[in-house]
Amino acid sequence: MLGNMGANEVAMRRALTAAARPARVLTGNRIPPRYRMDALRPSRGSPLSDVGDAPAAVVFPTTTAEVSAVLRIAGRLHRPVVAWGGGTGLMGGARPRSDAIVLDLRRMRRVRAVDRVSCTATAEAGIILEDLDRRLRRQGLLLGHDPWSRPRATLGGAIGTNGLGYSGHLRGSMGDQVLGLEAVLADGTVLRTRAVPRSTTGLDLKRLFVGTEGTLGIVTAATIRAFPVPEREEIHAFQVPTFGKGFEALCRIYDDGLTPFVMNFEESFRVPGGPWPMEAGPPELVLGFCGPRPLVAASWRVARARLRAAKARPLPDRVAAEYWRTRHDIIYRMDEVAPGVTGADVFLKDVVFDYAHVALPRSKVLEFRRPALAAVRKHGVSPLGFGLWTQPELVSLEMARPVRGDRRRAKAAVAAAIDDVLRRAQALGGSMEYVHGVGVALAHLIREELGPGLDVFRAVKGELDPSGRLNPGKLGL
Ligand SMILES: Cc1cc2nc3c(=O)[nH]c(=O)nc-3n(C[C@H](O)[C@H](O)[C@H](O)COP(=O)(O)OP(=O)(O)OC[C@H]3O[C@@H](n4cnc5c(N)ncnc54)[C@H](O)[C@@H]3O)c2cc1C
């Protein structure tokens, strides 16, 4: 085996196997193709390589000490280090360079403690969110972060991207639910912050590692909030005559102080030539409340009155039940059907598909809608859906363009449409992304997003990781 390797690779493998057991280090052609790219797939508009680079090594640490040792070795060998969770990130945040050491954290998956009284759990970063949820449910608690990707994404990846789940309005983003964490810095130092609901002791250090995509440190464990399983969850679906009426009704519902644990409001458009059922119709709303029965009943009384005023028509209960039951199904399409090929790659082979997830001031949502849809069409791309998720200010716009024999052209058109839409959101005082992070896919727009804030971010990065070892090229760093 060693005979096939270059001297550098041999030295790297030796050093890494001194830190982690040999079975936990892969180099050369033993690295499976899935580490070339995360869920930023060739079917997206991004002009980045459709193939991706294999990293130089993949290490599967099982302890924080091993992570620390790998980072020290990477420093000595001048190698970048990329944290890898479930590889479900949609922005290329975990895409490695060819000289990188990938740290696949999924063998760090222990639940260190569940504090039933405090409603908190301390778990290692590589635990799959669904596994953590299952563990908590045994003790009458649940995981508050419930993204579509829950069966595959990890706690560390969710913190690294500051993800948002179905219950994001009620329970907060992943970052909002982190009380304290353990992270390893570029030089191998292990940092632990106190796991408390609040502290006014200077800079909130845990936030350095929330949403920063492994560029400032590797999260190895976190103490997060857990939530008692509610007595009742009640979800209903409605059809609303127009997007504007639905939006207004929702604003009223939120202003009434109601806190839905699920809200998805979406209008769909017909996309000729796409692999989807070609249906379009009035916008549909899925709305749900949870908690003690009287609270849920009272919430529904108020919400129904608002929806009646908007002439919303209730849909059969099976519509909402089906929505909720199948809410994670889409992530299984990211599973490999052949080495390096996912089900989604096959499903989307004849189409370029992408989406924007922007946060806007509420007063700008309707002002954004029509011009954004028109802009997409102007680029020769078809809008697929325009919707609001978890709260009225969080807007998503899905779009697609059939390849029709010229994939490069289709990708360029979709990329231009996405950039146009994101810049429109920024111009209205919004943010270009509220859920998936920046990775490499949106790095070219980060200066417009952060302005001089990008220099502050870079200065922080320079202090914590002066050699730029951690996940270089992501977030515009
Ligand atoms: C079909 C589909 C649906 C999705 N739905 C949602 C959704 O509803 N809500 C949502 O928020 N996201 C969603 N996502 C995106 C993705 O699942 C999330 O971004 C998720 O949080 C990524 O977790 P992961 O473990 O897969 O991380 P990865 O993709 O492995 O990594 C994501 C980023 O975090 C960094 N990272 C990973 N682990 C660590 C660590 N331990 N310490 C520091 N940095 C780390 C990586 O380097 C990378 O930059 C969806 C993705 C797909 C494909």
Side-chain angles (χ1 to χ4, degrees), residues 44 52 60 82 212 233 299 318 320 346 349 405 410 433 461 464:
R44 295 272 293 287
F60 302 87
V82 180
T212 49
E233 289 179 344
S299 299
R318 70 184 137 73
V346 176
K349 69 180 176 11
E433 177 59 51
K461 168 80 172 168
L464 286 179

Side-chain angles (χ1 to χ4, degrees), residues 290-310:
C290 69
R293 282 170 192 279
L295 184 64
V296 173
S299 299
W300 267 116
R301 265 198 305 280
V302 176
R304 276 189 204 284
R306 297 295 187 197
L307 290 168
R308 264 197 307 273

Side-chain angles (χ1 to χ4, degrees), residues 39 82-90 93-94 105 125 145 147-149 153-154 156-158 160-161 163-164 213-214 217-219 330-331 334 389 435-436 471:
V82 180
W84 184 283
T88 68
L90 286 162
L105 290 141
H145 182 55
W148 301 26
S149 50
T154 62
T161 51
L164 193 76
E213 302 181 11
I218 310 286
V219 177
I330 185 85
I331 195 61
M334 296 311 298
W389 194 51
V435 54
H436 297 305
N471 213 2

Side-chain angles (χ1 to χ4, degrees), residues 96-157:
R97 278 181 4 191
S98 60
D99 57 344
I101 298 170
V102 165
L103 270 176
D104 184 330
L105 290 141
R106 282 174 293 184
R107 293 195 194 175
M108 289 190 67
R109 54 179 177 234
R110 284 166 289 250
V111 176
R112 292 184 184 167
V114 176
D115 181 339
R116 183 65 185 82
V117 174
S118 309
C119 291
T120 63
T122 303
E124 291 178 343
I127 192 166
I128 300 290
L129 296 171
E130 185 142 296
D131 295 341
L132 180 52
D133 183 62
R134 251 187 235 126
R135 267 296 296 276
L136 291 171
R137 280 180 192 265
R138 278 192 235 147
Q139 287 172 258
L141 297 170
L142 58 76
L143 178 65
H145 182 55
D146 181 13
W148 301 26
S149 50
R150 189 176 75 174
R152 295 288 181 265
T154 62
L155 179 61

